[in-house]
Amino acid sequence: MGWNMKVIDGFGNKLKTLRDKAGLTQQQLAVQMGLSKSTISQYENQERIPSPIAVIKLASVFHVSIDYLFGIDKVERADLTGLTEDDIMIIEHLIVSMREKNEKIRRL
C-alpha cells in the first residue's frame, strides 16, 4: 500500500474520533456539512473518499488542520480565536504546568 492510501486509511477513524469527541451523531454532522448521514458513515468506514471541499468543511467544523484530519500532522491544535492575549498566556502556562505534572507522574 502506498503512502497516499495509508493517509486515506486513517481518515475514517480520525473523523469518527473527532465526531465522537465533539458529541455529534452522524446525522448532526451531516446536517452541518450539508451531506447525508450515509455519506458520513461511508467516510468513517472508508468506503468513500471525501471531496476536497468536504475535507475543508470537516476541518472547519472540528477546528483542526487538514493535515491533522489525514494523520500527517499528529499534533491536535486548539482554536484560540476570540481569546485575548492574556487568555492565551494563561492557557500556555496551564499547558506547561500539565506537561510538568505528567512528566513527574511518568517518573514515578
Side-chain angles (χ1 to χ4, degrees):
M1 178 182 331
W3 180 83
N4 289 337
M5 287 309 296
K6 287 180 185 176
V7 168
I8 291 169
D9 278 347
F11 177 82
N13 292 331
K14 181 70 71 174
L15 176 58
K16 182 172 180 355
T17 299
L18 288 168
R19 182 180 58 75
D20 288 343
K21 185 176 171 183
L24 296 172
T25 64
Q26 287 181 342
Q27 182 63 43
Q28 290 168 324
L29 178 57
V31 168
Q32 283 188 19
M33 295 285 299
L35 300 169
S36 68
K37 177 185 177 285
S38 66
T39 298
I40 299 300
S41 176
Q42 289 171 335
Y43 290 166
E44 290 183 1
N45 293 315
Q46 300 174 173
E47 297 167 352
R48 182 175 181 172
I49 298 172
S51 71
I53 291 173
V55 171
I56 291 167
K57 285 182 182 179
L58 286 165
S60 177
V61 165
F62 294 116
H63 305 287
V64 296
S65 70
I66 292 170
D67 285 350
Y68 181 77
L69 269 177
F70 282 102
I72 296 166
D73 184 354
K74 304 296 184 202
V75 178
E76 187 172 0
R77 296 178 183 4
D79 181 4
L80 303 178
T81 305
L83 300 181
T84 67
E85 289 298 319
D86 287 341
D87 295 338
I88 293 170
M89 189 174 5
I90 290 168
I91 291 169
E92 288 172 345
H93 283 87
L94 180 61
I95 290 169
V96 168
S97 295
M98 293 176 88
R99 285 184 178 141
E100 289 172 353
K101 174 196 64 95
N102 291 341
E103 184 60 32
K104 286 178 185 175
I105 291 170
R106 274 193 287 271
R107 289 187 209 153
L108 294 177

